Amino acid sequence: MGAPNPPATLDDLLQDKRFPTPVPHLRRLWRDPMTNSTDWVLVKPGGLITGIHTRHTGEPLRNAHEPRDATLSGTTAYSQWVFEAEPATAPPNAPAAATPADNNNAIPGGAS
């Protein structure tokens, strides 16, 4: 079973019904510290949320960043600081997922 698709709305993160048992990822919708509003700009390629950023267009106080935050370097407005989820990947050395054909080869009790 792979990871579910990204959510369509922020409310989906409060009570995520994409799982057999609903999962709360957030206790509440957090306010944007730059605008004091819950009205975030959502990055939604294909209609599903993959990222978020502020609507505030003020100039950042910081222009140089650590290597892990290199995508923020050179931005001229807080609204350009986009935070996106990384695509889910299998951990290194993870066994390959079983396929239905794999399951047909093993018969309980060793019968063939």
Side-chain angles (χ1 to χ4, degrees):
M1 175 182 213
N5 289 327
T9 69
L10 290 179
D11 288 331
D12 290 345
L13 296 173
L14 296 173
Q15 196 65 11
D16 190 347
K17 296 179 181 167
R18 297 172 298 159
F19 294 89
T21 301
V23 176
H25 299 289
L26 299 174
R27 290 178 293 188
R28 63 183 172 134
L29 292 182
W30 294 97
R31 293 187 173 278
D32 175 349
M34 304 305 293
T35 64
N36 198 31
S37 167
T38 57
D39 185 26
W40 294 90
V41 177
L42 305 177
V43 178
K44 296 177 74 171
L48 301 173
I49 299 172
T50 60
I52 193 169
H53 65 88
T54 184
R55 293 185 182 283
H56 187 60
T57 58
E59 184 178 344
L61 298 175
R62 187 173 184 181
N63 292 332
H65 300 275
E66 297 294 323
R68 67 182 175 161
D69 298 325
T71 58
L72 303 178
S73 294
T75 56
T76 58
Y78 284 114
S79 59
Q80 296 171 335
W81 289 18
V82 178
F83 300 93
E84 289 193 80
E86 294 181 7
T89 59
N93 302 324
T99 65
D102 294 334
N103 293 334
N104 290 339
N105 294 334
I107 299 174
S112 50

